[in-house]
Amino acid sequence: MTDAPVLASQLVSTQWLADHLGADGLVIADASVASFLRPDGRVGYLSGHEQYLLEGHIPGAVFADLIEEFSDPEGSYPFTRPDTARFEAAAGALGVDNDTTLVLYDTAVGQWASRVWWLFRAFGYDRVAVLDGGLTKWKAEGRELELGHVEPTPAVFTAVERPELWVEKADVEAVVRGEREAALVCATPPKEYSGEFVTRARGGHIPGSSSVPAGFLVDRDSNAVLDPEALREKLAPALGAPQIITYCGGGIAATAAALALTLVGERSVAVYDGSLNEWAADPEAPLITG
């Protein structure tokens, strides 16, 4: 097999991807999810597959279905991480084996792509990157798009779990009680952090958390991730902690914050998968508003 392109970072530029389109051993995947407001005022989610088919995607890109394939359908909350067997099946069906270079993108601010990137890392695989600026930047630069479905070439992927990349509710409770030393980073929008906007049982943030909204980690004009200095400024309250735990509403935006932390050199980062969906559902779990 021809060597797949080598990644120098967890982010690749649109130019890098344009230069490597069609390369052997490279899989490009659109991980987009569409969100909508339900009649009850809560946010619902739909697969971005229809958008991928009809509005266009990067040439050769396959579709990574985060809702159906890369999450646990039996999970207590939407987007619960899958078990090893399910993840291996989803990765293989996407055409990814253990020699593949995988580049992920989405049509939003990168959080859906970051979620799949984090899953691959948590299952032991590092030859994976997020496209900086995603499809928004690719389109803005007038680059080529392709319509219709691209069928992946099935592969076999073997995972090696890294449990240290996740934390559970009990771990976060220990941090809140002061029994475990870690910084908590909340990646929800500011009005969710403050409790002004409530999309689940209760509003607010976990005590001691710093607010780092995922949408503030990208440049509003280009959609590209902020430069390292600007990222450090946003993430400053958490930097250098023995462990940094990111969370959001459902473990998605949290992975964009985890990507940003990784880009500035933090190595002990974990995602609270249940996030506020789980935390706010427990009336005994403390939440701070304002």
Side-chain angles (χ1 to χ4, degrees):
M1 168 181 166
T2 307
D3 287 340
V6 176
L7 298 169
S9 168
Q10 288 89 5
L11 274 184
V12 297
S13 68
T14 49
Q15 188 58 55
W16 183 95
L17 190 58
D19 291 343
H20 289 87
L21 283 182
D24 287 344
L26 173 68
V27 169
I28 307 165
D30 184 326
S32 300
V33 172
S35 59
F36 65 96
L37 208 58
R38 301 189 325 197
D40 62 4
R42 299 194 176 186
V43 180
Y45 298 100
L46 291 169
S47 165
H49 189 240
E50 189 172 325
Q51 189 178 24
Y52 159 91
L53 292 175
L54 302 178
E55 294 180 22
H57 51 80
I58 293 173
V62 295
F63 186 75
D65 195 325
L66 185 52
I67 294 176
E68 295 293 331
E69 306 301 331
F70 283 95
S71 298
D72 177 5
E74 306 300 319
S76 304
Y77 305 99
F79 305 111
T80 298
R81 69 182 186 270
D83 64 17
T84 302
R86 186 172 182 85
F87 182 82
E88 287 178 334
L94 203 63
V96 177
D97 64 24
N98 293 80
D99 295 309
T100 300
T101 293
L102 174 62
V103 174
L104 297 151
Y105 73 88
D106 62 36
T107 55
V109 294
Q111 61 182 15
W112 306 111
S114 296
R115 174 68 182 188
V116 182
W117 168 81
W118 190 259
L119 286 169
F120 269 93
R121 291 192 69 232
F123 284 106
Y125 201 64
D126 293 318
R127 296 185 67 166
V128 55
V130 171
L131 176 64
D132 195 12
L135 194 64
T136 302
K137 191 169 190 287
W138 183 273
K139 281 181 171 179
E141 292 167 351
R143 298 186 188 273
E144 186 186 352
L145 291 174
E146 180 178 57
L147 295 173
H149 180 69
V150 176
E151 186 62 32
T153 303
V156 175
F157 181 83
T158 304
V160 181
E161 281 198 77
R162 290 172 174 157
E164 68 276 12
L165 268 61
W166 304 104
V167 295
E168 304 303 328
K169 182 165 174 274
D171 301 310
V172 180
E173 287 168 340
V175 176
V176 172
R177 288 195 302 264
E179 296 164 9
R180 178 171 175 156
E181 201 179 344
L184 296 173
V185 170
C186 179
T188 64
K191 287 189 175 181
E192 284 193 50
Y193 175 86
S194 68
E196 288 174 73
F197 183 63
V198 182
T199 61
R200 51 193 65 83
R202 298 181 297 141
H205 59 273
I206 298 170
S209 309
S210 54
S211 176
V212 185
F216 289 14
L217 298 172
V218 299
D219 180 277
R220 289 187 179 187
D221 295 323
S222 67
N223 207 47
V225 175
L226 298 176
D227 64 69
E229 189 179 335
L231 286 180
R232 284 191 193 94
E233 196 177 307
K234 300 278 187 196
L235 299 161
L239 297 181
Q243 184 183 37
I244 304 172
I245 296 170
T246 67
Y247 73 92
C248 55
I252 303 295
T255 61
L259 172 61
L261 286 159
T262 305
L263 290 170
V264 299
E266 292 291 344
R267 290 292 169 262
S268 186
V269 181
V271 170
Y272 172 25
D273 200 40
S275 280
L276 288 170
N277 281 341
E278 180 179 43
W279 190 269
D282 175 5
E284 300 298 313
L287 280 170
I288 303 287
T289 55

